[in-house]
Amino acid sequence: DQQVKQNSPSLSVQEGRISILNCDYTNSMFDYFLWYKKYPAEGPTFLISISSIKDKNEDGRFTVFLNKSAKHLSLHIVPSQPGDSAVYFCAAPVKGSGTYKYIFGTGTRLKVLA
Amino acid sequence: GAGVSQSPSNKVTEKGKDVELRCDPISGHTALYWYRQSLGQGLEFLIYFQGNSAPDKSGLPSDRFSAERTGGSVSTLTIQRTQQEDSAVYLCASSFRGGGNEQFFGPGTRLTVL
């Protein structure tokens, strides 16, 4: 049961244009979401997060939008730069009995073309 | 300061052998996670350590997998009698106090079982 889904395995965008990466989730109990970026041969690095009490969080060129009714979030990168080429994962923490697991999506590979 | 380190960076082993993967978390981080990423897949949660609490082992795929965390710091993931399907990148992450806090990932260990 994939609770966090990234249905687009890859995306190509021209430099300077907007990149939109999508993520859908099924568990309505999720109340916090994170985006990670991963370069080849490196571990993922945290990019931006959003709490379910908000519908938007912005950090420089990166903005995450949350639509709770649709159980959908998206990451916007504008303007896109070649250095943004990486795999992007969305994730949600799930609280168990005193522990937290993070459920990750399968990732979207973004390629920004110069 | 030093980030999360993992060793070895690459491990090639023969089917049936045991392997040990090591993770050194960021000093002061009480939460430690192990994930694996198989080819074309997302990050699969394996195990979570938080302070002195019993670890959440619910993600371990079989009893051939085990993990320890000594002294609340270094962790070792052991895979016994490795199988070809164990081939993946094994990622370790730590965070301050766990919960919904940002995780910091190591570079991973790429395990290849021949």
Side-chain angles (χ1 to χ4, degrees), chain A residues 42-107:
Chain A
E42 295 182 12
T45 55
F46 171 76
L47 189 58
I48 192 169
S49 63
I50 188 166
S51 164
S52 62
I53 63 172
K54 295 185 175 182
D55 54 18
K56 176 183 175 181
N57 188 28
E58 189 173 352
D59 183 3
R61 296 185 298 113
F62 302 90
T63 303
V64 57
F65 295 91
L66 175 61
N67 182 333
K68 290 185 288 292
S69 60
K71 296 191 180 71
H72 177 83
L73 63 156
S74 60
L75 173 67
H76 293 211
I77 307 172
V78 56
S80 301
Q81 298 174 354
D84 296 330
S85 298
V87 178
Y88 290 79
F89 294 95
C90 64
V94 177
K95 186 176 180 182
S97 52
T99 71
Y100 270 85
K101 298 181 202 180
Y102 282 76
I103 308 297
F104 281 80
T106 52

Side-chain angles (χ1 to χ4, degrees), chain B residues 50-99:
Chain B
Q50 170 56 35
N52 295 321
S53 302
D56 180 345
K57 304 179 182 179
S58 60
L60 295 178
S62 78
D63 59 8
R64 296 185 296 104
F65 287 72
S66 63
E68 289 185 342
R69 188 177 186 193
T70 54
S73 181
V74 171
S75 178
T76 303
L77 177 69
T78 301
I79 309 173
Q80 296 178 309
R81 305 181 303 281
T82 52
Q83 304 293 312
Q84 288 184 332
E85 60 263 28
D86 299 335
S87 296
V89 175
Y90 288 81
L91 290 157
C92 174
S94 70
S95 71
F96 182 61
R97 285 207 305 261

Side-chain angles (χ1 to χ4, degrees), chain B residues 2-114:
Chain B
V4 178
S5 61
Q6 291 186 247
S7 61
S9 56
N10 279 285
K11 176 71 177 178
V12 180
T13 190
E14 293 179 347
K15 177 182 172 181
K17 295 285 182 70
D18 298 350
V19 295
E20 282 190 354
L21 312 179
R22 178 186 167 108
C23 172
D24 282 89
I26 292 173
S27 177
H29 281 190
T30 60
L32 187 147
Y33 303 79
W34 282 99
Y35 297 87
R36 75 175 174 182
Q37 186 181 15
S38 303
L39 191 63
Q41 302 296 314
L43 275 69
E44 176 189 2
F45 167 80
L46 297 178
I47 189 169
Y48 164 60
F49 295 90
Q50 170 56 35
N52 295 321
S53 302
D56 180 345
K57 304 179 182 179
S58 60
L60 295 178
S62 78
D63 59 8
R64 296 185 296 104
F65 287 72
S66 63
E68 289 185 342
R69 188 177 186 193
T70 54
S73 181
V74 171
S75 178
T76 303
L77 177 69
T78 301
I79 309 173
Q80 296 178 309
R81 305 181 303 281
T82 52
Q83 304 293 312
Q84 288 184 332
E85 60 263 28
D86 299 335
S87 296
V89 175
Y90 288 81
L91 290 157
C92 174
S94 70
S95 71
F96 182 61
R97 285 207 305 261
N101 288 290
E102 175 192 345
Q103 296 176 80
F104 294 82
F105 282 83
T109 294
R110 180 175 295 278
L111 175 66
T112 303
V113 182
L114 302 177

